[in-house]
């Protein structure tokens, strides 16, 4: 794992206050922690282990076992590209190629500017919209390579406009 900046551990305290003494709550703690930080850093997992009186190996084991948990930061826009049967049959490989062509990243990678991360997933449960991708919880279906690129360009333009407005 690459070296990460220390996290503000005070953010996790309300979660730990609520769950630390509740048996069987580790997954809920990890989920809420990831919601706060965007991923699970080593210092945060060490704090959870300490506060829950649980070996760090157990925390890391759970965090690495479940695909829902991330140990690396992700971009502003997390692209989850469905690879389920319906999507595969309807061209998810072409959509993946279009995303790679547009952003220069592959599955599991983040753009150099930190704007986009790509993750291939087994199924998004939107088979009637295949091929489909979800970006930050919003579903984009019946995709073609051109439609996928258009969505990415629009999000990039919105991010640039937000950045320009914040200056």
């Amino acid at each position: 794992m690459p070296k990460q900046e220390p996290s503000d551990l005070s953010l996790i305290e309300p979660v730990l206050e609520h769950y630390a003494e509740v048996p069987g709550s580790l997954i809920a703690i990890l989920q809420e922690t990831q919601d706060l930080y965007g991923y699970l850093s080593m210092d945060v997992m060490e704090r959870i282990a300490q506060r829950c009186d649980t070996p760090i190996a157990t925390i890391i084991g759970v965090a690495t076992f479940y695909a829902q948990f991330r140990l690396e930061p992700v971009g502003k826009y997390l692209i989850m590209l469905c690879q389920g049967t319906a999507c595969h049959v309807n061209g998810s490989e072409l959509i993946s190629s279009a995303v790679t062509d547009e952003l220069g990243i592959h599955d599991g990678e983040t753009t150099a500017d930190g704007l986009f991360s790509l993750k291939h997933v087994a199924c998004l449960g939107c088979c009637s919209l295949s091929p489909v991708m979800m970006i930050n919880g919003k579903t984009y279906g019946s995709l073609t390579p051109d439609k996928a690129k258009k969505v990415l360009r629009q999000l990039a333009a919105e991010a640039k406009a937000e950045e320009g407005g914040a200056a």
Side-chain angles (χ1 to χ4, degrees), residues 8-40:
D8 177 359
L9 296 177
S10 68
L11 297 176
I12 194 177
E13 287 309 314
V15 174
L16 293 173
E17 195 63 40
H18 187 282
Y19 289 110
E21 305 298 321
V22 179
S25 62
L26 180 57
I27 291 176
I29 291 170
L30 294 175
Q31 288 169 329
E32 289 193 26
T33 300
Q34 183 167 277
D35 287 346
L36 287 169
Y37 298 99
Y39 71 106
L40 300 172

Side-chain angles (χ1 to χ4, degrees), residues 21-68:
E21 305 298 321
V22 179
S25 62
L26 180 57
I27 291 176
I29 291 170
L30 294 175
Q31 288 169 329
E32 289 193 26
T33 300
Q34 183 167 277
D35 287 346
L36 287 169
Y37 298 99
Y39 71 106
L40 300 172
S41 65
M42 185 55 75
D43 59 337
V44 166
M45 289 189 288
E46 287 170 350
R47 178 68 181 133
I48 293 168
Q50 177 187 46
R51 186 72 191 283
C52 295
D53 194 28
T54 302
I56 186 67
T58 299
I59 307 296
I60 294 169
V62 170
T64 57
F65 180 79
Y66 292 101
Q68 67 179 300

Side-chain angles (χ1 to χ4, degrees), residues 37-113:
Y37 298 99
Y39 71 106
L40 300 172
S41 65
M42 185 55 75
D43 59 337
V44 166
M45 289 189 288
E46 287 170 350
R47 178 68 181 133
I48 293 168
Q50 177 187 46
R51 186 72 191 283
C52 295
D53 194 28
T54 302
I56 186 67
T58 299
I59 307 296
I60 294 169
V62 170
T64 57
F65 180 79
Y66 292 101
Q68 67 179 300
F69 296 120
R70 297 180 297 273
L71 303 181
E72 301 289 332
V74 292
K76 177 176 181 169
Y77 298 109
L78 175 58
I79 305 162
M80 293 191 298
L81 183 56
C82 186
Q83 300 298 312
T85 302
C87 288
H88 177 75
V89 168
N90 287 307
S92 65
E93 190 172 306
L94 295 173
I95 306 308
S96 181
S97 293
V99 171
T100 295
D101 181 54
E102 184 68 21
L103 301 177
I105 59 173
H106 294 90
D107 182 29
E109 297 178 341
T110 299
T111 56
D113 62 5

